[in-house]
Amino acid sequence: MYLSLESTKCEKPNSMNTSRWVLLFFWSFVIVLCPSSLHSQAWGEELGARIAGMNNTSVALPDFWNLHNNPAGIACLSVPAIGINYASRFSLKELSTKSLAMVYPVQKSVLGVTVDYFGYALYHEVKAGLVYSRKLGKRLSVGTQLDYLSVAFGEGYANRHRFTFGLGVQYAVTDELRLGASVYNPVGIRYDTLQSLVIPAVFRAGLAYSFSDQLLTTAELEKSSLLGYWNVRAGVEFRPNERFAFRAGTGFYREVFSFGMGYAWKNLKFDIASTVHQQLGLTSQFSILYTFRK
Amino acid sequence: MLLLMFFVLTVRGQSADTLQPSLDNALEELARSSDAVADYSDLLEQYRYFLEHPVPVNGPELKKLLEIRVINEAQLFSIETYIRQNGPILSANELNYVQGLSNEAIARLKRFVTYSANLQKSRPLSFKNLVRYSRSQVLFRYEQVPEKSAGYLIPPDSAYLKPGSVYLGTPQKLYLRYAFQSENHMRAGVTMEKDAGEVFVGSNLGDSVPQLLNKAPGFPDFFSVYASVTDIGLLKKAVVGDYHLEFGQGLTLWSGLAFGKSSQACQVKYYGRGIRPNTSVNENLFFRGVATEFGYKSLSLTAFYSRKNYDANLEQENSTELELATSLQETGYHRTINEVNDKNALSISVYGAHLNFDYKRIRLGGTYYESRLDIPIQKNDQPYAVYYFHGNRLQNAGMDLNAGFNKFTFFSEFSYSSNGGLAGIAGVNTFFSDRFTLTLLYRNYAKNYQTLFANPFRDSGHVGNENGFYLGLEALLTKNLTLSAYADLVAFPWMRYQVSGPSTGKSFLVQLNYEGKKDLKMYVQIRFTQKQKDNTPDDVYLSQLHNERRLEFRYQLSYNLFRYFILKNRLEYVHYDFVEDRQRGFLFYQDIFYRPEQTPLSAGIRFAVFNTEGWNSRIYTYENDVLYAFSIPALYDHGYRTYLLVSWEPVTNLKFWFRAATTLFNGKTELGSGASALPGNHRSTIKAEVQWKF
């Protein structure tokens, strides 16, 4: 599913039932919500080691971690999957994001759940999201996400809770070319009037083009209300065989360079990636994705 | 303008040698990266050689076209794959069936290859063959700026008053070159040059000047000679005289020029040619001595010794009265008393060896050499230069590795300098799809890495104190349309000249190329560079780093009009931005080439108009020139530039060139400063050249 731009050939969601994965789902959430065990972040920042390797150019791709980036990107997932992601921003433990997410296809739709924890004891943010995505016709996919966000300072010093949402769309022009766009928090919901507690509004638009079965390229424009410019990014993924994937990307601002690799083994996919910020250094991510076979 | 067009029409001429546009581009980038005027013939000699001696497309020599950037590794791989699957390529048309070659690449490649299923073997070495298949050529060039600059206006016998700004010699630039070649076995050549302002034979210097000179200026100012043999038993190559050494990725030892970043975004790997005779007039950029390469099976060993004088500025240390060199000069000019006195001020002996091992697609090399200076270089106490080389001895050692796998090639080099500096470079060229090539490169040169003869891929002029990622891609969107792009992200962990702190930089290029039917070619290029530089306002004592940005848009179009006319236009816009200094620059030019197939005469003309708000928004443009000469002027301020180039080949093997160029500035009464200052508002150049082959 790494490369597949074969969105047009999206298979019918299977209705297999898996009590075992429902259980897994349940238990993982118990673990996640256990105080300070799993963590996360969200606010429109991209997540997922595969797309991080391509410098976060995911908006037009079908990808599991698009749960965070463009909800339309999961409409093509035909089987349930569960994944965890760990991102260490600038290699600082205090700035790490821990995420758990899953998708579950139901009839013609795909449902997703995400939980993220970002920060550490004295400052942390939690995001929990519900994603709904589906295909409209053969080529068009749409999706929406509803997020609960919270931020907490110190030991009870202050905390805020908000709800916000995101919308996304993807369109497969041909089997090789896909377009995508998404907005997050478009109405500018904020925690507080304080500047530092802003939830950014983010807009992304981009394309993905597959040169061959082994080669996928992406390009994306991004505008975030936190940053006063349009960022341009591009990424590439090579998959010399079924198992391995190598990725690289570049961007104009912020993360100017990225690289990563992936390995698929049975139902598991392991991805690792680093993005390079010129002043602040490396941000590394690691994902494990488990896909339930039919 | 009309008159000129008429002239071109009546002359029935055609222009001289044109390069492929991507090379124009690469040369412009080189000119931009260094203020010194270099002799790029060093890089293009091989290019011209293969134009005259195409290689068989089905043979192993096809690889050599990598060195001159006619093809890249992905295209080579595509051609090899095609031949493996379908047998030898027998005609130019068949190239169209090779996957992964754009129209542009095919047009370029056609000029350099022959099609034959049977590969010709080189003739056995014998005296008879040496004589029978030998060829010689003589090339003479005359060049002059007709306007007299300030340096010539004061007579040389008053030069002692201004030892740095009076030219002792005559304003002509003269260049003479003789080359002999017998098949592939033997080559020899002599190159002589006198720059403008340098002393010609019998110049009258008066009485006072010779007393101020350490040594009398000789003629010719520059003299270079070499003789080389190849492939005689175990001896693969030997050069006596002036030569270059090129190994690995240029990180340990690479004496000549090398292309850097350009719109050929996937061509950053170096293809070292080992020993190579020097034919250029880059006076401080080669070795002088002996170099030999022996090969046995997959092993080859190169050993070399060189002792060459270099221009340097000497000073006496007060306490010990020892002579020390403060800096090495690289311009090669010896026009004024000061410059003549700096000439050949110190000598550097270099000796060492390179061992190379080839096994299938793996190539492993090791290089070691020592440089000894007879006069030590003084330590520079400027903070940015504390890690620069000083003293009189330096050893360098390096390992380079090249490995080809199925659909990618890996290249790297690691180097060590005897002061403890380390440097490394590693890259990969991938061609997983025949329509898409990606190159990744990482380099990290420690701030204390020192070398006198290295020229690796890098962003800054100095080798060392740099690390960065480079990512380049070339994509074939359709057969007509290609996209090339690169991103280079670089960090300088230590201070640099006029950068008083650790800094970063980045540069991006995106180019979309279209090559259609009937020689319609065009491209759009966007280029952005950003680097940090000191900003020191008048009222502040501490420098702060600020971003210096340059954004360039270019559109170029060339097409055939009527039968023998080629028209070329370029439109360029530059935006420069550094703190308060914001400048815009604009350039437009029109080229007309006339190239009839049958007549021996050809001509080319350019008319350019430029308007920039200062020197920082200057625009570099490549211009066609006489053989082995280069003109890539930086145009700035407001004015016009025009040139005319005519070449005439009355009989086979005898060819004449004539070129006249002038830049006219609006609203100026003096150009330049110091000795090169010109009264008036125009600066011209006249060149005439003759080449005789026999």
Side-chain angles (χ1 to χ4, degrees):
Chain A
M1 189 162 315
Y2 268 140
L3 268 180
S4 55
L5 276 178
E6 312 147 347
S7 58
T8 46
K9 301 171 214 155
C10 245
E11 295 142 69
K12 268 193 179 171
N14 78 330
S15 54
M16 73 133 203
N17 201 334
T18 43
S19 52
R20 80 184 157 142
W21 92 254
V22 171
L23 261 177
L24 195 75
F25 185 106
F26 174 76
W27 279 113
S28 41
F29 269 78
V30 171
I31 294 163
V32 170
L33 297 175
C34 264
S36 81
S37 62
L38 248 182
H39 326 272
S40 98
Q41 143 206 352
W43 337 255
E45 297 273 346
E46 301 82 353
L47 270 179
R50 178 194 174 207
I51 53 194
M54 303 165 78
N55 210 11
N56 297 318
T57 48
S58 62
V59 73
L61 284 182
D63 183 88
F64 175 85
W65 287 104
N66 257 336
L67 280 168
H68 281 275
N69 313 314
N70 179 358
I74 62 165
C76 277
L77 306 182
S78 54
V79 287
I82 182 164
I84 56 169
N85 186 68
Y86 178 81
S88 158
R89 185 153 280 253
F90 312 128
S91 310
L92 292 172
K93 195 178 69 191
E94 288 77 10
L95 299 185
S96 63
T97 305
K98 293 130 188 167
S99 315
L100 174 73
M102 54 200 313
V103 296
Y104 187 64
V106 180
Q107 304 286 328
K108 286 179 176 174
S109 311
V110 181
L111 297 178
V113 187
T114 62
V115 184
D116 310 271
Y117 177 96
F118 167 78
Y120 60 112
L122 295 178
Y123 176 89
H124 54 263
E125 302 182 36
V126 173
K127 176 179 120 168
L130 285 172
V131 181
Y132 173 81
S133 180
R134 66 164 293 160
K135 291 173 70 78
L136 295 175
K138 273 192 161 181
R139 300 187 173 274
L140 188 68
S141 321
V142 293
T144 178
Q145 70 191 102
L146 180 65
D147 282 352
Y148 161 80
L149 305 171
S150 88
V151 56
F153 289 88
E155 287 124 358
Y157 176 69
N159 54 61
R160 299 279 186 280
H161 314 271
R162 289 291 180 274
F163 282 92
T164 188
F165 68 99
L167 300 167
V169 57
Q170 288 188 347
Y171 184 73
V173 182
T174 65
D175 282 357
E176 288 81 35
L177 179 67
R178 284 179 76 91
L179 306 176
S182 71
V183 286
Y184 186 72
N185 188 29
V187 294
I189 287 164
R190 38 176 55 202
Y191 287 119
D192 205 309
T193 47
L194 290 173
Q195 184 62 34
S196 56
L197 285 178
V198 161
I199 304 167
V202 183
F203 170 76
R204 291 192 196 97
L207 56 89
Y209 183 76
S210 155
F211 278 87
S212 74
D213 288 347
Q214 296 183 323
L215 183 94
L216 174 68
T217 56
T218 51
E220 185 169 319
L221 272 173
E222 181 196 49
K223 173 87 198 224
S224 161
S225 63
L226 278 187
L227 308 162
Y229 44 74
W230 285 88
N231 197 4
V232 186
R233 297 187 294 216
V236 56
E237 178 178 73
F238 285 126
R239 203 176 52 162
N241 56 43
E242 288 292 309
R243 294 223 151 153
F244 284 99
F246 299 94
R247 307 177 185 108
T250 184
F252 205 76
Y253 291 107
R254 297 200 299 163
E255 282 79 20
V256 289
F257 188 78
S258 73
F259 51 92
M261 65 173 290
Y263 177 73
W265 179 71
K266 295 192 175 167
N267 288 15
L268 284 167
K269 287 192 175 105
F270 302 90
D271 291 296
I272 186 163
S274 287
T275 51
V276 181
H277 188 289
Q278 275 198 300
Q279 277 75 32
L280 300 171
L282 284 183
T283 294
S284 298
Q285 292 200 32
F286 179 69
S287 305
I288 302 175
L289 181 67
Y290 182 84
T291 312
F292 295 89
R293 290 278 153 86
K294 288 169 209 172
Chain B
M1 187 65 198
L2 273 174
L3 266 178
L4 287 171
M5 282 182 76
F6 175 72
F7 175 65
V8 172
L9 278 166
T10 50
V11 152
R12 280 189 64 74
Q14 159 256 257
S15 122
D17 313 76
T18 42
L19 293 173
Q20 60 197 52
S22 50
L23 273 180
D24 293 12
N25 234 297
L27 287 171
E28 279 163 357
E29 296 262 350
L30 262 188
R32 198 196 311 256
S33 64
S34 154
D35 288 337
V37 178
D39 176 8
Y40 303 111
S41 66
D42 198 23
L43 288 167
L44 292 174
E45 219 214 336
Q46 193 88 340
Y47 183 89
R48 307 244 186 243
Y49 177 82
F50 283 119
L51 264 183
E52 289 178 15
H53 305 86
V55 299
V57 70
N58 299 306
E61 289 96 339
L62 189 65
K63 258 196 228 90
K64 299 216 162 176
L65 299 185
L66 289 173
E67 295 166 9
I68 56 169
R69 300 186 152 218
V70 168
I71 52 173
N72 64 28
E73 280 188 338
Q75 290 158 346
L76 177 71
F77 181 79
S78 298
I79 296 169
E80 285 174 349
T81 310
Y82 179 89
I83 294 171
R84 209 168 39 243
Q85 290 168 353
N86 304 296
I89 296 174
L90 298 173
S91 74
N93 281 339
E94 207 176 337
L95 287 174
N96 290 312
Y97 300 104
V98 179
Q99 297 290 312
L101 293 186
S102 64
N103 285 347
E104 186 207 357
I106 292 169
R108 195 165 61 207
L109 184 61
K110 271 179 188 169
R111 302 167 68 192
F112 290 90
V113 291
T114 57
Y115 313 90
S116 154
N118 313 318
L119 303 177
Q120 189 188 358
K121 287 202 170 153
S122 70
R123 295 190 181 83
L125 177 69
S126 72
F127 185 72
K128 208 172 104 187
N129 279 342
L130 265 187
V131 176
R132 184 190 295 169
Y133 298 105
S134 71
R135 296 171 334 113
S136 293
Q137 66 156 312
V138 179
L139 190 80
F140 175 74
R141 180 162 71 233
Y142 165 90
E143 183 180 335
Q144 185 167 1
V145 175
E147 299 94 343
K148 285 221 161 170
S149 63
Y152 298 108
L153 297 177
I154 303 169
D157 52 6
S158 321
Y160 65 94
L161 296 169
K162 289 182 173 177
S165 56
V166 175
Y167 296 150
L168 302 177
T170 51
Q172 293 82 24
K173 178 173 176 173
L174 303 171
Y175 171 90
L176 179 67
R177 173 172 166 176
Y178 168 77
F180 167 87
Q181 176 147 23
S182 179
E183 284 290 290
N184 294 322
H185 287 298
M186 226 190 125
R187 282 180 71 187
V190 182
T191 309
M192 286 183 246
E193 192 207 39
K194 175 195 110 59
D195 280 313
E198 290 175 346
V199 169
F200 194 46
V201 204
S203 289
N204 181 16
L205 293 179
D207 300 328
S208 57
V209 172
Q211 290 168 17
L212 289 170
L213 297 177
N214 296 341
K215 46 194 169 274
F219 176 81
D221 177 73
F222 175 73
F223 185 83
S224 171
V225 59
Y226 73 87
S228 83
V229 291
T230 40
D231 290 325
I232 303 176
L234 287 183
L235 184 68
K236 293 291 162 217
K237 220 186 262 182
V239 178
V240 179
D242 294 347
Y243 61 89
H244 285 285
L245 294 170
E246 302 178 341
F247 298 118
Q249 295 305 309
L251 188 53
T252 318
L253 181 54
W254 189 287
S255 63
L257 299 173
F259 285 112
K261 283 177 270 188
S262 76
S263 61
Q264 292 176 304
C266 291
Q267 303 203 349
V268 292
K269 177 178 169 178
Y270 282 16
Y271 303 95
R273 283 172 274 169
I275 309 168
R276 180 168 69 81
N278 173 56
T279 54
S280 78
V281 293
N282 293 318
E283 302 183 17
N284 290 299
L285 273 180
F286 58 86
F287 293 118
R288 177 163 281 176
V290 192
T292 53
E293 181 189 339
F294 293 95
Y296 180 69
K297 291 188 175 167
S298 53
L299 271 179
S300 82
L301 176 72
T302 307
F304 53 92
Y305 174 82
S306 157
R307 187 183 167 87
K308 186 182 171 313
N309 294 327
Y310 291 82
D311 299 353
N313 199 358
L314 299 188
E315 264 179 25
Q316 243 164 33
E317 201 179 32
N318 293 334
S319 53
T320 55
E321 299 207 337
L322 276 177
E323 270 197 318
L324 287 171
T326 51
S327 60
L328 290 174
Q329 318 281 7
E330 284 174 4
T331 62
Y333 289 134
H334 310 109
R335 304 164 300 188
T336 64
I337 292 178
N338 288 351
E339 285 173 351
V340 171
N341 284 339
D342 285 351
K343 186 180 176 183
N344 295 342
L346 65 80
S347 88
I348 306 182
S349 310
V350 183
Y351 43 88
H354 174 83
L355 185 67
N356 192 69
F357 173 72
D358 272 296
Y359 178 74
K360 291 187 177 163
R361 292 179 70 192
I362 294 175
R363 161 174 261 219
L364 185 66
T367 312
Y368 171 84
Y369 67 100
E370 177 169 286
S371 318
R372 276 172 186 258
L373 288 73
D374 64 347
I375 295 170
I377 291 182
Q378 193 176 27
K379 185 167 181 176
N380 188 336
D381 289 329
Q382 293 288 328
Y384 75 87
V386 292
Y387 292 108
Y388 285 11
F389 171 71
H390 54 88
N392 61 357
R393 266 177 85 166
L394 182 68
Q395 289 110 27
N396 291 80
M399 288 277 284
D400 60 273
L401 172 69
N402 234 308
F405 300 95
N406 185 19
K407 286 183 173 178
F408 59 99
T409 59
F410 173 81
F411 52 97
S412 70
E413 182 164 11
F414 298 92
S415 304
Y416 171 78
S417 63
S418 54
N419 65 315
L422 288 169
I425 183 170
V428 60
N429 284 337
T430 64
F431 19 100
F432 285 99
S433 155
D434 51 29
R435 290 164 55 209
F436 189 95
T437 314
L438 183 88
T439 295
L440 285 168
L441 183 145
Y442 174 73
R443 75 272 190 192
N444 196 333
Y445 311 148
K447 59 183 184 236
N448 61 341
Y449 179 67
Q450 296 176 349
T451 162
L452 291 167
F453 304 102
N455 190 7
F457 178 89
R458 65 195 186 279
D459 190 72
S460 69
H462 172 70
V463 181
N465 182 30
E466 172 171 337
N467 62 64
F469 292 100
Y470 175 92
L471 192 150
L473 68 88
E474 283 176 36
L476 204 73
L477 301 178
T478 70
K479 201 92 175 149
N480 298 331
L481 201 62
T482 53
L483 174 79
S484 61
Y486 71 69
D488 190 30
L489 299 320
V490 62
F492 308 102
W494 189 251
M495 288 170 251
R496 306 166 66 218
Y497 179 60
Q498 294 184 341
V499 186
S500 51
S503 63
T504 59
K506 52 189 175 185
S507 54
F508 299 92
L509 178 139
V510 180
Q511 180 171 322
L512 202 58
N513 254 312
Y514 175 83
E515 174 141 354
K517 294 266 153 60
K518 296 195 173 174
D519 287 328
L520 174 68
K521 295 174 209 174
M522 59 175 105
Y523 70 79
V524 185
Q525 189 189 78
I526 303 170
R527 193 172 168 277
F528 174 83
T529 52
Q530 175 179 308
K531 257 187 205 178
Q532 289 176 301
K533 210 174 86 171
D534 278 349
N535 173 40
T536 320
D538 291 341
D539 52 344
V540 178
Y541 292 101
L542 273 179
S543 301
Q544 288 180 321
L545 295 185
H546 274 270
N547 282 328
E548 182 186 41
R549 296 195 184 97
R550 206 181 142 88
L551 177 67
E552 299 164 33
F553 288 96
R554 175 188 291 182
Y555 173 68
Q556 182 163 312
L557 168 73
S558 87
Y559 52 99
N560 261 8
L561 194 66
F562 312 123
R563 205 162 151 207
Y564 302 128
F565 280 104
I566 297 169
L567 271 68
K568 197 166 108 183
N569 303 77
R570 180 184 289 184
L571 199 59
E572 186 153 348
Y573 172 80
V574 174
H575 184 87
Y576 173 89
D577 174 9
F578 178 65
V579 200
E580 309 261 282
D581 184 11
R582 289 200 184 85
Q583 302 185 0
R584 282 166 305 168
F586 165 83
L587 168 108
F588 170 80
Y589 72 60
Q590 171 74 59
D591 276 350
I592 303 167
F593 302 113
Y594 183 53
R595 287 178 194 157
E597 279 152 25
Q598 304 301 328
T599 34
L601 205 57
S602 67
I605 184 169
R606 168 173 301 177
F607 182 76
V609 51
F610 54 92
N611 191 354
T612 80
E613 291 176 342
W615 168 252
N616 288 326
S617 48
R618 65 193 179 273
I619 297 173
Y620 289 87
T621 50
Y622 176 87
E623 296 178 346
N624 289 334
D625 208 325
V626 306
L627 187 67
Y628 295 133
F630 292 87
S631 174
I632 311 171
L635 301 175
Y636 61 97
D637 292 340
H638 182 203
Y640 309 94
R641 169 137 182 112
T642 180
Y643 71 80
L644 167 75
L645 175 64
V646 182
S647 71
W648 180 44
E649 198 171 356
V651 289
T652 318
N653 293 335
L654 183 65
K655 198 166 178 183
F656 295 92
W657 286 265
F658 173 78
R659 185 179 193 271
T662 188
T663 315
L664 186 71
F665 291 88
N666 274 1
K668 285 200 178 188
T669 52
E670 192 187 52
L671 305 175
S673 62
S676 61
L678 276 183
N681 66 347
H682 52 88
R683 187 178 194 280
S684 317
T685 319
I686 290 169
K687 289 180 190 175
E689 187 171 75
V690 55
Q691 182 193 37
W692 180 37
K693 295 182 194 168
F694 52 97

